[in-house]
Amino acid sequence: MSLGDIISAVRGRRRTLIIYDPVSDQLVEQLREHTAPYPLTVERRADGGAFAGHAELTDGDGLTIHTDCSDLSAPVSHQEFEAHFADVLSRIDRTTFTSYDGSQMAATSREIEDRAWRFGHGSLHVGFQCASTLSTQEQVYRDLARKNLDIHAYAVPDKDAPPLEGVNVHLAETDEIAKTWFVVYDGNGDDESKCALIAEERDPGVFCGFWTYDPSVVDEALSHLSARYVAPS
C-alpha cells in the first residue's frame, strides 16, 4: 500500500450528516461551509416525519446521533455551529483536511518534530519532496540528530543532499516522494505516542491529506517506507 493509498483510506472514513426538512436552503449551505474542513458530507432529505427539523449522523461504530435543528436558522456563526453539533463533531475524525498551504503543513510538521525531540528516542521519517527543501532544514535536523533518534529523510535529488550526520538520507526518483509531504514518528514503540502527517500536493503549494494519532496508520506508513526505501535490496 502506497502513501497515496493510505491517504485515500483515511479520507474514506467520511460520514454523512442528513438534515430532514431543513428550515431553509441557506441553512443547509451554511452547514456545508462549516463542515468543509471535515470528512463530513451534508445532505438534505424531505419528508422526515418524526425527524423533521433534525439532523442525523451514523458514526463508524454504528451509533446514530440525532440533533434538533428546528430552532437553528441562518446565518449560523462558527461558534454556534461547533456548540450545536458538538455531539456530531465528537464522533468524526477531524484530523483530515481538504487543503492546507505550506505554512499550515510546516506548523503541523513542527508539532510532530517537537514530540520526537521531547521523547528523544524512536524513529522519525520525513519526506521533503526534493533535496533542495531538505537543505533549508539543515539546522533543524542537525539539532534533532543530537538526540537518540533514528532519523530518515526522503527526497527527489533535484540537487545534492546536504551532509547531515545522524540522518539517513534516501534519494529516490519517484512520484510518491516528489508529491508527498510526510512526517511520521513511531513514538519509540509506544502506541499512545505515535503520530503522523501525510499529505499529497494536489496543486502547487496546496496539500490534501491528514494527521493522525492512530498507531495502526502510523505503523502502515512506516512499514511501506521501510520496505520500499530503507530495507536493503
Side-chain angles (χ1 to χ4, degrees), residues 133-211:
T133 302
L134 174 57
S135 297
T136 68
Q137 300 299 312
E138 284 187 57
Q139 191 56 55
V140 172
Y141 280 83
R142 290 187 199 282
D143 291 342
L144 282 166
R146 293 204 295 268
K147 296 288 188 173
N148 191 25
L149 290 164
D150 176 29
I151 303 174
H152 295 263
Y154 305 78
V156 170
D158 63 332
K159 60 172 289 185
D160 291 338
L164 291 171
E165 185 176 352
V167 178
N168 302 289
V169 178
H170 308 282
L171 299 178
E173 292 274 10
T174 68
D175 285 344
E176 177 176 64
I177 295 301
K179 295 178 180 179
T180 313
W181 180 328
F182 58 89
V183 186
V184 186
Y185 177 53
D186 76 345
N188 197 34
D190 176 10
D191 280 353
E192 292 187 0
S193 302
K194 294 176 180 179
C195 52
L197 165 69
I198 306 175
E200 290 178 327
E201 188 171 22
R202 298 286 177 83
D203 294 302
V206 179
F207 296 83
C208 175
F210 67 89
W211 73 91

Side-chain angles (χ1 to χ4, degrees), residues 8-21:
S8 296
V10 171
R11 290 180 59 78
R13 301 170 183 173
R14 195 171 187 89
R15 305 290 176 227
T16 298
L17 182 68
I18 299 171
I19 312 296
Y20 291 99
D21 299 318

Side-chain angles (χ1 to χ4, degrees), residues 87-110:
D87 287 345
V88 168
L89 296 175
S90 70
R91 304 301 299 179
I92 64 171
D93 178 5
R94 291 197 278 171
T95 64
T96 63
F97 49 86
T98 300
S99 62
Y100 261 19
D101 60 24
S103 62
Q104 291 169 308
M105 292 291 294
T108 306
S109 297
R110 288 291 174 263

Side-chain angles (χ1 to χ4, degrees), residues 14-33:
R14 195 171 187 89
R15 305 290 176 227
T16 298
L17 182 68
I18 299 171
I19 312 296
Y20 291 99
D21 299 318
V23 173
S24 67
D25 291 340
Q26 186 182 3
L27 174 63
V28 174
E29 289 307 311
Q30 271 221 295
L31 294 181
R32 285 174 177 157
E33 290 175 11

